[in-house]
Amino acid sequence: MVGSVEGAHRSPPHSNGSVHYSNGVEEKLDELRRLLGKSEGNLLKVVGIGAGAWGSAFAALLQDAYGHFRDKVQIRIWRRPGRSVDRSTAEHLFEVINSREDVLRRLIQRCAYLKYVEARLGDRTLYADEILRDGFCLNMIDTPLCPLKVVTNLQEAVWDADIVVNGLPSTETREMFEEISRYWKERIRVPIIISLAKGIEADLDPVPRIITPTQMISHATGVPIENILYLGGPNIASEIYNKEYANARICGANKWRKPLAKFLRQPHFIVWDNSDLVTHEVMGGLKNVYAIGAGMVAALTNESATSKSVYFAHCTSEMIFITHLLAEEPEKLAGPLLADTYVTLLKGRNAWYGQMLAKGELSLDMGDSIKGKGTIQGVSAVDAFYELLSESSLNVLHPEENKPVAPVELCPILKTLYKILIKRELPPKAILQALRDEAMYDPRERIEMGQSHALYRPSLLGQP
């Protein structure tokens, strides 16, 4: 079942109160349509798969920018049906609605307000796909979006889509795109896929190697990697949708990244393009790993700026070390790439999760899928990176002990996070003990090791 979006064709205001930026928007849409061979009356079909916070906000950004060109583009989002909204969330949602006059008016005009009154009273059950049609993401209740066209049938959503946006967690990406591939067997034109997922898998047989979400998608569907791109940047979904100035990078082959960067760019959301898919996608997974530790440090030290800066120095040196194992010439951890790491450590769901664990307000037994937040992708990434970098076949020379060691031995924060989150051998406060270990050497040495080019292991990405 597909929802609808209210409003006249090309009307100036959005239903959430924002205003269309008309300067050059239609020209950008027409340019992408031409590149994709779209004729007059043939819609450019864009679909988001997965309705977490960023996936939903991303679809809403596109809907706000292009949705009023109904004769040229169709923007939809798929999410699983049947997820109910509990009463406490329904009560909070009702408060959000009544605090925003523009949202309240929109729901009344759509004859949708009454169901939220009934849900608040416990007289009705709301569902996640139902409220998404009205512009509410279950993982981001406090940030109303524009109404979205929601599809709950996966085959209907993807079978003829020109652009597919992967908004799924990395842990669900492979399985979902294996299912999607069954609906693409008769396709003539290969779709373009933009992945927002941040995380990795580790495959240890026959040789240790890393599998990124774009690789998972390519393996599952047979879509060539040049048609699969990664988009990431220093972004918090709710802040971007509320028009906080932000930037991102779309990474991948030259064929599509430049036109897509132009298409996705908005006045408050600047998208650059970059060829280094490996570094950006791996950093997307790594930043979630170290964000959990950053949250722990912040909570355990009462937001000590000194402690957080010490942690930042050590965790970024480990990130640089790890990326130099994977790429011969990775992009430097600077500029937007560093900013992406900074904002995730500062304010993201993984940092929040680390804080709640350290404060005792969450426990590991609750799992890594948290109500109102979605999947905490850093947990599975900790496991994957640790398992991968523990392999003796990847041994490197220890800079002080002058003996071969597994790469993880030079990543004390990653080791500690693994013992806290996966093995559960240590409490969260152990992260501070790792930072204060007198045996820890200057993070500069780890950076210099990486930049010496002696670490590069092409086999980690399945290359000869």
Side-chain angles (χ1 to χ4, degrees):
M1 180 177 178
V2 182
S4 62
V5 178
E6 302 294 322
H9 179 61
R10 300 188 191 180
S11 58
H14 290 315
S15 52
N16 68 341
S18 59
V19 176
H20 289 308
Y21 292 96
S22 59
N23 186 25
V25 172
E26 188 169 12
E27 289 78 2
K28 290 195 297 182
L29 176 58
D30 288 341
E31 184 176 337
L32 188 61
R33 283 175 49 82
R34 284 194 296 271
L35 286 170
L36 288 166
K38 289 292 177 179
S39 58
E40 187 75 21
N42 188 4
L43 292 175
L44 171 66
K45 296 184 177 180
V46 182
V47 64
I49 302 300
W54 185 213
S56 297
F58 191 82
L61 288 173
L62 293 177
Q63 178 65 36
D64 276 345
Y66 297 106
H68 53 297
F69 298 109
R70 293 184 179 181
D71 56 340
K72 296 184 177 184
V73 65
Q74 177 192 74
I75 298 163
R76 304 191 294 176
I77 186 168
W78 171 88
R79 73 151 293 135
R80 293 180 181 87
R83 175 77 182 272
S84 61
V85 178
D86 63 50
R87 184 171 176 180
S88 64
T89 303
E91 290 172 347
H92 181 53
L93 181 54
F94 185 76
E95 293 174 1
V96 172
I97 291 168
N98 284 284
S99 70
R100 290 276 300 267
E101 183 178 343
D102 58 328
V103 176
L104 182 60
R105 286 182 180 278
R106 165 162 57 82
L107 291 175
I108 292 173
Q109 290 170 359
R110 290 164 60 91
C111 301
Y113 180 66
L114 182 59
K115 66 185 177 186
Y116 292 96
V117 177
E118 294 172 342
R120 174 180 175 270
L121 297 173
D123 295 336
R124 176 175 180 155
T125 299
L126 296 171
Y127 293 91
D129 56 291
E130 176 186 13
I131 67 171
L132 189 60
R133 291 185 177 91
D134 293 328
F136 303 104
C137 170
L138 193 57
N139 293 341
M140 198 170 55
I141 291 295
D142 291 312
T143 304
L145 307 171
C146 64
L148 292 171
K149 294 182 178 180
V150 180
V151 189
T152 56
N153 181 295
L154 185 62
Q155 182 174 4
E156 177 189 344
V158 303
W159 74 274
D160 63 346
D162 300 295
I163 300 175
V164 176
V165 179
N166 175 35
L168 298 163
S170 59
T171 49
E172 299 177 19
T173 293
R174 180 190 298 278
E175 180 181 0
M176 191 57 62
F177 275 87
E178 285 175 349
E179 181 176 350
I180 287 172
S181 70
R182 300 204 297 268
Y183 309 134
W184 284 350
K185 288 181 179 178
E186 306 301 321
R187 285 192 68 129
I188 298 173
R189 183 186 292 272
V190 178
I192 298 169
I193 301 170
I194 302 171
S195 179
L196 310 178
K198 300 173 175 68
I200 69 154
E201 289 181 357
D203 189 354
L204 305 180
D205 185 35
V207 294
R209 65 189 183 97
I210 198 171
I211 305 175
T212 65
T214 57
Q215 292 171 329
M216 296 176 202
I217 293 169
S218 183
H219 295 163
T221 62
V223 172
I225 201 69
E226 71 173 9
N227 272 48
I228 308 175
L229 304 100
Y230 165 74
L231 185 135
N235 47 55
I236 302 297
S238 61
E239 294 181 353
I240 290 178
Y241 192 74
N242 285 330
K243 302 296 186 288
E244 294 287 338
Y245 180 79
N247 54 62
R249 285 179 171 183
I250 189 162
C251 307
N254 185 62
K255 179 180 179 180
W256 292 117
R257 72 172 191 267
K258 289 185 180 295
L260 285 172
K262 186 175 181 181
F263 176 72
L264 297 174
R265 176 175 288 212
Q266 298 186 24
H268 69 284
F269 183 58
I270 305 304
V271 180
W272 296 307
D273 70 280
N274 192 282
S275 63
D276 192 351
L277 177 64
V278 171
T279 306
H280 287 78
E281 201 169 9
V282 171
M283 281 293 192
L286 278 174
K287 68 176 187 172
N288 287 335
V289 166
Y290 291 101
I292 296 176
M296 292 176 179
V297 170
L300 293 166
T301 64
N302 196 27
E303 299 288 343
S304 163
T306 300
S307 296
K308 289 193 289 186
S309 65
V310 170
Y311 178 84
F312 188 76
H314 283 288
C315 79
T316 51
S317 72
E318 290 189 16
M319 294 173 74
I320 291 168
F321 174 82
I322 292 169
T323 54
H324 278 81
L325 284 163
L326 298 166
E328 190 169 14
E329 293 286 350
E331 182 166 336
K332 288 181 171 59
L333 184 58
L337 203 55
L338 183 61
D340 191 8
T341 301
Y342 172 73
V343 75
T344 306
L345 270 60
L346 187 70
K347 184 184 177 183
R349 76 180 72 176
N350 290 275
W352 171 87
Y353 180 73
Q355 287 184 320
M356 294 300 102
L357 286 177
K359 291 178 179 179
E361 296 181 23
L362 289 178
S363 73
L364 293 171
D365 292 334
M366 297 171 69
D368 59 2
S369 183
I370 306 298
K371 174 187 172 183
K373 292 290 182 179
T375 301
I376 309 300
Q377 298 191 89
V379 176
S380 63
V382 167
D383 192 15
F385 278 112
Y386 182 91
E387 293 294 333
L388 186 75
L389 300 179
S390 297
E391 289 293 303
S392 59
S393 61
L394 302 175
N395 278 0
V396 298
L397 194 64
H398 194 288
E400 292 184 349
E401 299 177 10
N402 200 33
K403 66 177 184 180
V405 296
V408 77
E409 296 301 321
L410 298 178
C411 300
I413 295 176
L414 177 60
K415 281 183 65 177
T416 302
L417 288 171
Y418 180 79
K419 291 178 180 179
I420 295 170
L421 298 169
I422 308 302
K423 300 298 287 184
R424 305 188 184 185
E425 297 173 348
L426 298 173
K429 65 181 180 182
I431 197 74
L432 296 183
Q433 296 168 9
L435 284 183
R436 295 165 180 169
D437 187 349
E438 292 183 5
M440 282 189 77
Y441 49 90
D442 190 332
R444 174 185 58 81
E445 296 183 27
R446 192 181 295 110
I447 294 171
E448 289 179 348
M449 276 190 70
Q451 294 175 342
S452 70
H453 304 291
L455 292 181
Y456 177 48
R457 302 287 191 275
S459 60
L460 281 171
L461 289 174
Q463 299 172 6

